[in-house]
Amino acid sequence: MSERKLTLYSFVYRGASSALTFLNSAIAARYLPTASRGEFQLSTTIATLGQSFSGGYTNYFSYALPRRPDDKARIVQMGNLVMYAFSILVWIVAALVAWFTHPSLIVMFALFGMPLTFLFGYSSKLLNSLGEISWLNRANIAQAVVFLVCYLVFIGFQPHLKDSLRLLWTFRIWLLSWIVCVAMTLFVAYRALGFRDVLKWRWSSVEWRGLYSYGTASSLAIVTGYVNYRTDFWMLLTTHSATIISIYGVAVAAAEILNTLTQTISTMVFHRVTAATTDDAGAITERAARQTLITSTLGAIVLAVGMPLLVAIYSWSKYGHAIGPFYVLLPGLVLKATANVISQYFTNAQGKPLTLMWVNLCVIAANALICLGLIPLLGMYGASIASTISYIFELALYVAWYHRTAKRDSRALWQLRREDLAPYRDIARALRRRVLRRA
């Protein structure tokens, strides 16, 4: 499959994944009592936060593999040892907590589900490092598909189950969906790597040193990146009512769909940037940044048109006020998507994830200062303005830092060229020919 077609299919998968996640949430909200639905969301959110924590360390293995393919067996065997040992440790702790303290379902299923998210993050990073994008797309959608199918079948057989049991079975089906997803992703990753070479776990002091230094720095970058995304939301939370926070949360969640879609380009260039020479990685990054700028702009237009319709269908009386902040956030997230692609040059080509941490800290400080001035005056609009300004600042920092470290013309990151539009013209022509043929 050509790279252009694979990129298009990846966008489709990303969109389908977002749609399925929304659909699963809606079905669970309809089947569960209101309080139970909130408990389910809280537990699954806690469990998937584990993937963010471990993601920094799994980044080391996906960074090391393309750069040192001859050490493939040693890298993956060490990865197996660390990730399986860590997951088993968490499961042991979860079993002890369940046995001695009898915790709530929220805590129990969050603890038992968290290691599955560790292992999924690890196996998906292995696929990405190998350039197995088609399988990575399928892996990213597998959990949502399995949960949807199993949940609908269960509801069909148990439509009138007692409220007290509905949450328990929802958790069980959610856990089953992760087990199936992790098993599939690990199998595909090991098959691509060669079962005989990598289906072992073994200590390596060399890989441990790399894991400790690169993984810790990458984890710090991920944590500060998460704070970067949420600074405006948390500062609004300290001064406004739960109703305002809920409305603004809808605006944020809707606008951030754009990042989910544009992550496709980051995924596509991950392996190439990591394996390339520094100069070639710069050229790849520049081309990918321009493509992301175009794609995120087109995606923002689609979201801008569709958002009022979605709110009207769902509940305009409850969430109609989210439209304004949503439109303010959207331009900033277009630039944020481009900044995310540029950041891969520092993590993958230069092996310096701490660069991301320092940029994130600067942006967090700027966002917080602007929020302090604007939220008391403009409320939700002040938070969204602060967020957008901070994303503009973030892109400017990455462009300037790139110019300094790569010794290349940083204008190539954002100045569009005629050839950048060629893929979109080709797609439009192909769609036009197909429509005319059917007509």
Side-chain angles (χ1 to χ4, degrees):
M1 186 183 295
S2 68
E3 183 178 331
R4 189 176 300 174
K5 186 176 289 187
L6 186 59
T7 302
L8 180 61
Y9 277 118
S10 297
F11 273 114
V12 172
Y13 271 102
R14 288 282 184 181
S17 178
S18 298
L20 282 170
T21 301
F22 175 80
L23 182 60
N24 286 338
S25 177
I27 293 171
R30 188 174 182 86
Y31 184 65
L32 294 172
T34 303
S36 296
R37 190 263 180 191
E39 292 173 343
F40 176 64
Q41 183 177 7
L42 176 59
S43 181
T44 55
T45 301
I46 294 170
T48 51
L49 276 176
Q51 187 176 340
S52 299
F53 169 77
S54 66
Y57 292 95
T58 58
N59 278 345
Y60 169 71
F61 304 109
S62 55
Y63 166 75
L65 272 172
R67 301 178 76 88
R68 296 189 284 116
D70 292 340
D71 297 328
K72 173 183 71 175
R74 187 175 71 188
I75 294 168
V76 178
Q77 287 171 14
M78 179 63 180
N80 294 341
L81 175 63
V82 172
M83 295 310 300
Y84 288 131
F86 187 44
S87 298
I88 290 170
L89 177 62
V90 175
W91 273 320
I92 291 173
V93 170
L96 292 173
V97 169
W99 181 264
F100 288 107
T101 68
H102 305 292
S104 66
L105 289 178
I106 298 173
V107 174
M108 188 174 71
F109 278 94
L111 287 174
F112 279 104
M114 194 176 291
L116 294 172
T117 68
F118 295 162
L119 295 174
F120 174 73
Y122 173 57
S123 53
S124 62
K125 291 292 176 60
L126 292 179
L127 286 176
N128 200 356
S129 70
L130 296 169
E132 293 283 349
I133 306 302
S134 294
W135 275 110
L136 183 61
N137 288 332
R138 297 180 187 119
N140 284 332
I141 205 172
Q143 185 271 330
V145 170
V146 174
F147 180 84
L148 177 63
V149 172
C150 293
Y151 204 45
L152 288 176
V153 170
F154 175 78
I155 292 173
F157 280 100
Q158 297 287 348
H160 305 298
L161 193 68
K162 291 181 180 178
D163 287 353
S164 59
L165 293 176
R166 291 189 182 194
L167 180 60
L168 175 63
W169 277 101
T170 301
F171 274 127
R172 288 172 174 172
I173 294 168
W174 176 82
L175 207 59
L176 173 65
S177 68
W178 271 109
I179 292 171
V180 173
C181 176
V182 168
M184 183 202 85
T185 312
L186 283 171
F187 176 82
V188 173
Y190 287 141
R191 186 181 65 178
L193 288 161
F195 286 108
R196 183 175 299 177
D197 295 330
V198 301
L199 203 55
K200 303 172 185 176
W201 51 12
R202 186 174 298 167
W203 173 265
S204 168
S205 57
V206 173
E207 304 309 331
W208 172 254
R209 286 193 295 271
L211 174 65
Y212 180 77
S213 59
Y214 186 94
T216 302
S218 185
S219 284
L220 289 172
I222 289 174
V223 170
T224 54
Y226 181 77
V227 176
N228 181 8
Y229 271 117
R230 295 291 171 258
T231 300
D232 57 327
F233 185 84
W234 290 337
M235 294 197 71
L236 189 70
L237 181 65
T238 62
T239 56
H240 285 70
S241 68
T243 300
I244 295 297
I245 299 304
S246 179
I247 293 171
Y248 189 64
V250 169
V252 171
E256 288 182 357
I257 291 173
L258 187 63
N259 274 355
T260 302
L261 296 175
T262 53
Q263 281 172 3
T264 301
I265 294 178
S266 297
T267 301
M268 293 292 296
V269 303
F270 182 95
H271 177 268
R272 293 166 57 207
V273 169
T274 308
T277 64
T278 302
D279 200 50
D280 288 342
I284 294 168
T285 300
E286 290 159 9
R287 190 161 54 249
R290 297 195 304 269
Q291 290 292 331
T292 302
L293 190 58
I294 297 171
T295 304
S296 58
T297 300
L298 294 174
I301 292 171
V302 173
L303 284 174
V305 173
M307 176 63 174
L309 179 62
L310 290 174
V311 172
I313 292 172
Y314 190 72
S315 178
W316 188 272
S317 61
K318 288 184 178 179
Y319 298 112
H321 292 296
I323 298 293
F326 164 79
Y327 283 136
V328 177
L329 286 167
L330 214 49
L333 284 164
V334 169
L335 302 181
K336 172 65 174 171
T338 307
N340 288 344
V341 172
I342 300 171
S343 71
Q344 285 195 163
Y345 176 80
F346 303 102
T347 56
N348 298 8
Q350 294 195 334
K352 296 178 179 178
L354 277 179
T355 299
L356 275 63
M357 186 194 75
W358 293 118
V359 170
N360 287 333
L361 289 175
C362 291
V363 176
I364 290 166
N367 197 347
L369 287 173
I370 300 170
C371 282
L372 283 174
L374 292 184
I375 287 178
L377 295 174
L378 301 172
M380 289 188 297
Y381 283 91
S384 56
I385 291 169
S387 186
T388 290
I389 293 174
S390 69
Y391 291 149
I392 296 170
F393 177 52
E394 180 177 359
L395 179 60
L397 281 178
Y398 274 125
V399 169
W401 212 316
Y402 177 85
H403 177 73
R404 180 180 177 182
T405 58
K407 309 299 182 186
R408 295 174 62 91
D409 185 359
S410 58
R411 290 176 298 181
L413 293 167
W414 54 271
Q415 283 189 347
L416 301 182
R417 302 172 183 177
R418 185 179 181 86
E419 61 265 25
D420 294 330
L421 300 174
Y424 306 95
R425 286 198 300 266
D426 292 346
I427 291 171
R429 288 169 184 163
L431 289 174
R432 183 172 177 272
R433 284 195 299 269
R434 185 168 296 183
V435 170
L436 291 175
R437 235 185 272 125
R438 290 182 177 177

